[in-house]
Amino acid sequence: MRRFQFRLASVTRLREAVRDERRAQLADALGVQMVLEEKIQRIDHDLRAARQLHTAPLGPVDVDRLLNGERYELVLQAEKRSLASQLAKVEAEVAKRREALVMADKDVRALEKLRASQHEEWRQQSEREAMRELDEVAGRSVPAERIL
């Protein structure tokens, strides 16, 4: 009996490699997204701390300290806006890469489904051939007078 051989095995391997590459690209983009989100959280923390530092205390006021605190707060806000802009671009890239991964996964699953159905057809055909051979062998071994 011959072995089952899926004719599109090389295409399947190629599609699996593409899917794995898409998965790695998505992981990279998610890593960048996570780093940006952490930076934004640190800036938010620094902003809260800066606001507490430059609030006017009771008693004598150090104007230079207040001005420096406000400048620092403005720098942090500008940096946060820049990071938020970068994060929006990265989120769009993550969505694009996620969609590419979904499409690559669909391609692989379609080939796997085709392979499974062809394997099932091959198995059924092999069983029919085996039964036919057994029927031929059984037909040859029974004497003709016993059949009548």
Side-chain angles (χ1 to χ4, degrees):
M1 180 186 315
R2 60 186 168 81
R3 278 185 50 225
F4 173 72
Q5 186 172 3
F6 184 52
R7 292 182 182 188
L8 297 175
S10 59
V11 175
T12 301
R13 284 190 302 275
L14 178 65
R15 298 276 168 89
E16 287 172 344
V18 168
R19 180 194 59 193
D20 294 343
E21 181 182 333
R22 299 286 187 262
R23 188 175 289 144
Q25 290 172 347
L26 176 61
D28 291 343
L30 287 171
V32 170
Q33 181 182 10
M34 189 170 60
V35 166
L36 288 173
E37 288 171 347
E38 288 173 358
K39 284 182 180 181
I40 289 173
Q41 287 176 353
R42 274 189 255 123
I43 288 176
D44 283 340
H45 179 267
D46 291 346
L47 275 170
R48 283 190 297 276
R51 287 184 184 128
Q52 289 176 353
L53 285 177
H54 76 268
T55 56
L58 298 176
V61 175
D62 185 0
V63 176
D64 288 334
R65 182 174 154 251
L66 287 176
L67 288 175
N68 286 336
E70 286 181 17
R71 282 189 210 115
Y72 180 61
E73 186 178 335
L74 290 173
V75 167
L76 288 175
Q77 288 173 347
E79 189 175 342
K80 182 179 176 181
R81 281 191 301 274
S82 172
L83 288 173
S85 172
Q86 290 176 14
L87 181 60
K89 290 175 186 172
V90 168
E91 286 173 342
E93 185 65 23
V94 165
K96 184 174 118 181
R97 290 182 183 192
R98 186 171 279 135
E99 183 63 31
L101 175 59
V102 167
M103 295 305 293
D105 195 46
K106 278 184 184 179
D107 290 344
V108 170
R109 278 186 282 143
L111 287 170
E112 287 172 348
K113 215 173 178 182
L114 178 62
R115 183 192 183 289
S117 67
Q118 286 182 0
H119 184 265
E120 182 60 24
E121 287 177 22
W122 171 84
R123 189 189 62 74
Q124 290 174 357
Q125 180 65 29
S126 296
E127 285 179 4
R128 283 192 293 273
E129 288 175 8
M131 289 302 291
R132 193 173 327 128
E133 287 176 15
L134 288 174
D135 288 345
E136 284 179 20
V137 170
R140 279 189 243 145
S141 63
V142 176
E145 57 271 353
R146 292 185 113 192
I147 297 176
L148 298 173

